[in-house]
């Protein structure tokens, strides 16, 4: 299984960052490059524990659907997303939030496994891990901007 670990320090309160990270509209805005859209399940507002959302997006030139579910949530400290249906063999994404000196440290632990055995592992090593790291970094920037925006509650 491949894994990506990211830390993003955000100058905003933990509840604001937590809510920004689970906001469906902000997710769609932050992934506009891949035309990501919520098409089933929770399609607006803040996703909650045990809810699903099906995303449709264009990755690697192909439109794909990914059905995910929030399997655990401890507000405002963590939520975990797993893939129910999609292109991966498996996908597990932990979102962790820690208060630190008046700011919030947002941590992503994204674990995934591609299908096709050794060919999938090679694809992960050569290409997919870098692609997904870049995607997550680009996704986190609008969360940071939204949470830090003027008038935001700390």
């Amino acid at each position: 299984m491949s894994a990506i670990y990211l830390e993003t320090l955000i100058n905003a309160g933990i509840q604001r960052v937590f809510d920004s990270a689970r906001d469906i509209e902000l997710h769609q805005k932050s992934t506009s490059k891949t035309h990501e859209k919520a098409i089933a399940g929770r399609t607006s507002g803040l996703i909650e524990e045990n809810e699903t959302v099906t995303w449709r997006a264009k990755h690697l030139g192909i439109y794909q659907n990914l059905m995910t579910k929030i399997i655990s949530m401890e507000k405002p400290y963590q939520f975990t997303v797993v893939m129910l249906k999609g292109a991966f063999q498996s996908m597990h994404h932990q979102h962790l939030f820690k208060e630190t000196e008046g700011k919030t440290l947002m941590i992503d632990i994204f674990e995934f496994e591609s299908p096709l055995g050794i060919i999938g592992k090679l694809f992960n090593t050569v290409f997919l891990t870098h692609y997904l790291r870049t995607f997550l970094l680009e996704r986190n920037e609008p969360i940071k901007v939204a949470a830090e925006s003027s008038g935001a509650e700390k």
Side-chain angles (χ1 to χ4, degrees), residues 90-104:
S90 66
M91 187 210 79
H92 184 268
H93 188 176
Q94 286 183 282
H95 301 261
L96 307 171
F97 306 86
K98 296 180 180 179
E99 292 177 295
T100 176
E101 300 176 6
K103 299 178 182 180
T104 301

Side-chain angles (χ1 to χ4, degrees), residues 6 9 13 22 35 37 43 45 50 55-57 69 93 101-102 105-106 113 115 121 130 148:
L6 297 175
L9 188 61
R22 60 193 186 97
H35 310 285
K37 182 161 178 54
T43 59
N50 293 317
W55 300 101
R56 179 161 179 77
K69 181 177 182 176
H93 188 176
E101 300 176 6
L105 182 62
M106 182 173 73
E113 192 166 350
K121 288 181 196 300
H130 174 74
E148 291 179 346

